[in-house]
Amino acid sequence: MDIVTVSGLKKTYGDFEAVKGIGFSIQSGEIFGFLGPNGAGKTSAINMLIGLSRPTEGDITIGGVDARRHTKKAQALMGIVADESNLYDDLDGFGNLCFCGALYGMRKAERETRARELLAQFNLEGAGKRPFKAYSKGMRRKLAIAAGIIHSPSILFLDEPTTGIDVESARSIRDFIVELKNRGTTVFITTHYIEDAERICDRIAFIVGGKIVASGTVPQLMAGITHGHTLRLSGDSGTAALASTLEAQIPGCTVQAEGDNALSILSEAPIPLLPVAELAGRHGIRIFEAREARPTLEDVFVQITGIDSDKLRREKEQGGGKK
């Protein structure tokens, strides 16, 4: 059953069209992700879904509610965690959570109990009485997520949840997102981190230039590309020197050296191992390992979008930016 349906969604700023008539649906209880580089339209799209920005055109239904006509009613079903926290620097963790609970109409005893539970779940008990401004980036992101779910929403919207935080905190947040899904919460995330999308999302939409260019489960997206075959070999020193010989012996292949003792053979047709091993043996080189490389989600993204995966890596190192 779909909890979110979107059709013909557009957002323009003057002459610039940030979101170009996208449509998609999110099933109840799944993790759905928007994957794309900075400036792709991810944040513009999520801001329309959560009611922070008015669509230029299009329809949004959340939990059976027309979110354009009845924004407040739709927002009551949501938890929202923006890429920039809106929590109060001078309040401690417990105080911030209780304040957010009050905004959602929770009674004092209920919100205080829930705040303590969430501080424990996110391993923030020791920081519960410290001011928010003293938190590390990872701790701030954890508390922001806790604030977004204090009222147990039906769907949680997360904009770039792991951007700019340490590896351990990012892993902890991914684990908690999956735990939320297992408890029945629907989760929508935007990210430009391929590993986030691949590890936790049930379905992914690639968004580039304000358009959705592909969507589906990871296996569906994998099946939709023509990748050919790649055989990776590692062996004695000098293995890479076989590159030109292998290209001459195996029709239609391309061989790439990887250091002195490894190489990759790329071909549209399956690559038989025995002739390769025999050729190496004739040159006095022993092969220690041979394995066929499978395409990754990164391969799929690059082939479908035409965007160099190094661009996403650079954005990751820089910690985000305009989305």
Side-chain angles (χ1 to χ4, degrees):
M1 178 181 175
D2 293 337
I3 189 171
V4 176
T5 57
V6 175
S7 62
L9 193 63
K10 292 184 180 181
K11 183 64 180 180
T12 59
Y13 301 94
D15 295 332
F16 176 66
E17 194 171 22
V19 179
K20 303 176 180 179
I22 64 174
F24 60 93
S25 62
I26 303 175
Q27 298 171 8
S28 181
E30 76 171 341
I31 301 173
F32 184 89
F34 262 13
L35 174 63
N38 290 335
K42 301 188 301 296
T43 295
S44 293
I46 200 172
N47 282 344
M48 288 187 283
L49 293 179
I50 64 179
L52 291 184
S53 175
R54 189 165 185 81
T56 304
E57 293 181 25
D59 297 305
I60 304 168
T61 302
I62 297 177
V65 177
D66 183 334
R68 291 193 65 179
R69 295 180 60 190
H70 306 289
T71 304
K72 293 297 183 184
K73 187 175 180 181
Q75 287 175 332
L77 304 173
M78 307 174 191
I80 300 168
V81 183
D83 61 326
E84 296 292 337
S85 171
N86 58 357
L87 299 180
Y88 290 95
D89 280 344
D90 292 327
L91 281 180
D92 60 25
F94 181 77
N96 264 300
L97 293 182
C98 289
F99 179 76
C100 290
L103 292 179
Y104 285 114
M106 298 173 68
R107 295 181 182 276
K108 184 174 185 292
E110 179 188 10
R111 62 182 183 253
E112 289 183 352
T113 298
R114 179 73 169 145
R116 293 188 184 94
E117 289 174 354
L118 289 168
L119 289 172
Q121 281 183 300
F122 281 97
N123 295 318
L124 293 173
E125 290 171 297
K129 291 300 180 182
R130 287 164 53 188
F132 185 63
K133 61 186 176 185
Y135 282 25
S136 68
K137 287 184 179 179
M139 292 165 64
R140 291 169 72 91
R141 193 61 54 85
K142 288 180 180 181
L143 193 72
I145 294 175
I149 62 170
I150 192 165
H151 60 307
S152 302
S154 299
I155 180 167
L156 177 64
F157 290 92
L158 294 168
D159 194 11
E160 299 282 1
T162 63
T163 294
I165 62 176
D166 62 276
V167 173
E168 183 179 350
S169 293
R171 184 184 301 114
S172 174
I173 286 171
R174 284 194 297 266
D175 289 344
F176 190 75
I177 292 170
V178 173
E179 184 181 337
L180 280 175
K181 174 248 176 118
N182 291 337
R183 295 177 182 176
T185 303
T186 305
V187 181
F188 176 92
I189 72 167
T190 71
T191 183
H192 63 277
Y193 292 175
I194 289 176
E195 60 267 38
D196 279 1
E198 188 167 17
R199 288 175 183 174
I200 68 174
C201 290
D202 296 298
R203 288 190 301 134
I204 301 164
F206 294 165
I207 182 168
V208 178
K211 296 180 179 179
I212 293 177
V213 296
S215 64
T217 64
V218 172
Q220 287 170 343
L221 291 167
M222 296 287 196
I225 71 166
T226 303
H227 188 76
H229 299 266
T230 301
L231 185 66
R232 288 202 169 96
L233 305 177
S234 59
D236 287 330
S237 178
T239 297
L242 292 172
S244 58
T245 304
L246 286 168
E247 285 188 346
Q249 294 292 321
I250 304 175
C253 83
T254 301
V255 183
Q256 299 173 347
E258 299 175 358
D260 183 51
N261 65 344
L263 52 79
S264 292
I265 307 171
L266 293 79
S267 173
E268 288 299 318
I271 304 164
L273 177 59
L274 183 58
V276 173
E278 289 177 342
L279 188 149
R282 290 197 297 271
H283 285 75
I285 293 174
R286 294 171 299 172
I287 300 299
F288 302 139
E289 182 184 27
R291 60 185 176 86
E292 184 170 7
R294 302 293 183 183
T296 65
L297 187 63
E298 182 175 302
D299 297 323
V300 178
F301 183 83
V302 170
Q303 181 161 331
I304 290 176
T305 67
I307 293 174
D308 189 339
S309 58
D310 287 341
K311 173 180 171 64
L312 293 183
R313 291 196 190 97
R314 288 193 298 271
E315 290 176 356
K316 179 175 181 179
E317 291 168 359
Q318 294 164 2
K322 182 182 177 182
K323 297 173 282 300

